[in-house]
Amino acid sequence: MTERVTRVVVGHRAYRVDWAPVDDSSDGEFLARRGVVRVDPDGDEGHLAEVLMHELLHVLVHDSGLSLPEPQEEQVVSALAPRLLDFLSRNPRCAAWLIAAGSSF
């Protein structure tokens, strides 16, 4: 098993990833002002990966400057997170190429 990530960089900002219980009934949260993504560590790795992807998509929406009403953002993020994670896991060569090609700009 790979060690869990504790830091991600999006745009020009670093975000801390905390593997700690979340205050409400959700499995994760993005605290934009604090620069923190929190994922409740209680779950299997597959579920945790999906929760982290979900929260990272919130980070990307925030970083992009998009201003979506909360229900719409949640709907988009919830729909995309499992599909993006599935795509990356089923297409590792494509993921590797995207990472390599993307690092050149």
Side-chain angles (χ1 to χ4, degrees), residues 1-38:
M1 181 182 336
T2 305
E3 187 175 330
R4 291 180 182 165
V5 63
T6 59
R7 182 178 179 271
V8 295
V9 177
V10 176
H12 299 290
R13 185 165 183 198
Y15 295 87
R16 191 175 77 236
V17 179
D18 288 344
W19 299 90
V22 179
D23 293 336
D24 60 21
S25 62
S26 65
D27 293 331
E29 64 184 346
F30 168 47
L31 306 168
R33 289 187 180 136
R34 292 176 51 195
V36 173
V37 170
R38 184 172 295 139

Side-chain angles (χ1 to χ4, degrees), residues 17-70:
V17 179
D18 288 344
W19 299 90
V22 179
D23 293 336
D24 60 21
S25 62
S26 65
D27 293 331
E29 64 184 346
F30 168 47
L31 306 168
R33 289 187 180 136
R34 292 176 51 195
V36 173
V37 170
R38 184 172 295 139
V39 177
D40 191 325
D42 187 24
D44 64 69
E45 290 297 302
H47 176 71
L48 297 179
E50 188 174 324
V51 172
L52 179 59
M53 179 64 77
H54 178 103
E55 298 309 325
L56 292 176
L57 287 172
H58 281 298
V59 174
L60 292 170
V61 169
H62 176 76
D63 182 71
S64 74
L66 287 172
S67 180
L68 298 173
E70 194 277 329

